[in-house]
Amino acid sequence: KGDGVNPDGKKAKEHFEQAVERGNISAYYNLAIRYAKGHGVDKNESVAAETFLKGAEVGSVPCMYAFGRCLETGFGTERSIEIAKIWLTKAAHLGDVEAQAWCANNEVPFDKPAELLSGR
C-alpha cells in the first residue's frame, strides 16, 4: 500500500511469495489477491484460484472462503457448486463471517459439517 514507503506492487508480490515459501499461511491470501486483481502482476484468474486453493489446503480460512467463491462462480477454475459448498462450509465452521452468511443465504448448515470436513 505504500505505508511509509513508495508503493511497489512487484516488490510486494515478491515479499508475499517469500512469505509463502517460508510457511506464512496468511501470505497465500495476499498473494492470490494480487493475481486476482492484477496488483503488481498481470491479472491471472487461474493463478489466483490455484493460490487460494494452496492456502486453503494449508489452513488459511480466508483462502477457504475465497476458493469456495472461485468454485461457485468459475473464477479461474472449473465451476463446481458441490466442492464450493465443502470449502465454504469449512470456512464458516472455522468462523469466517462471510462464509457463514453465504451458508445462511444458501441454506447450507455449517455448525457440524462432519461429512464436509472429511472431504478435501
Side-chain angles (χ1 to χ4, degrees), residues 42-66:
D42 290 334
K43 183 176 179 178
N44 189 323
E45 293 178 3
S46 62
V47 172
E50 181 180 314
T51 305
F52 283 133
L53 172 59
K54 288 178 182 177
E57 290 176 333
V58 297
S60 167
V61 176
C63 283
M64 290 176 194
Y65 172 74

Side-chain angles (χ1 to χ4, degrees), residues 36 45-46 48-54 56-57 61-91 102 106 116 119-120:
E45 293 178 3
S46 62
E50 181 180 314
T51 305
F52 283 133
L53 172 59
K54 288 178 182 177
E57 290 176 333
V61 176
C63 283
M64 290 176 194
Y65 172 74
F67 186 62
R69 294 304 304 266
C70 288
L71 288 162
E72 177 189 22
T73 62
F75 181 89
T77 190
E78 187 175 332
R79 191 169 186 262
S80 173
I81 296 301
E82 290 309 309
I83 299 173
K85 285 181 185 178
I86 292 169
W87 285 112
L88 291 163
T89 302
K90 284 183 181 184
W102 184 93
N106 290 280
L116 294 176
R120 275 186 103 145

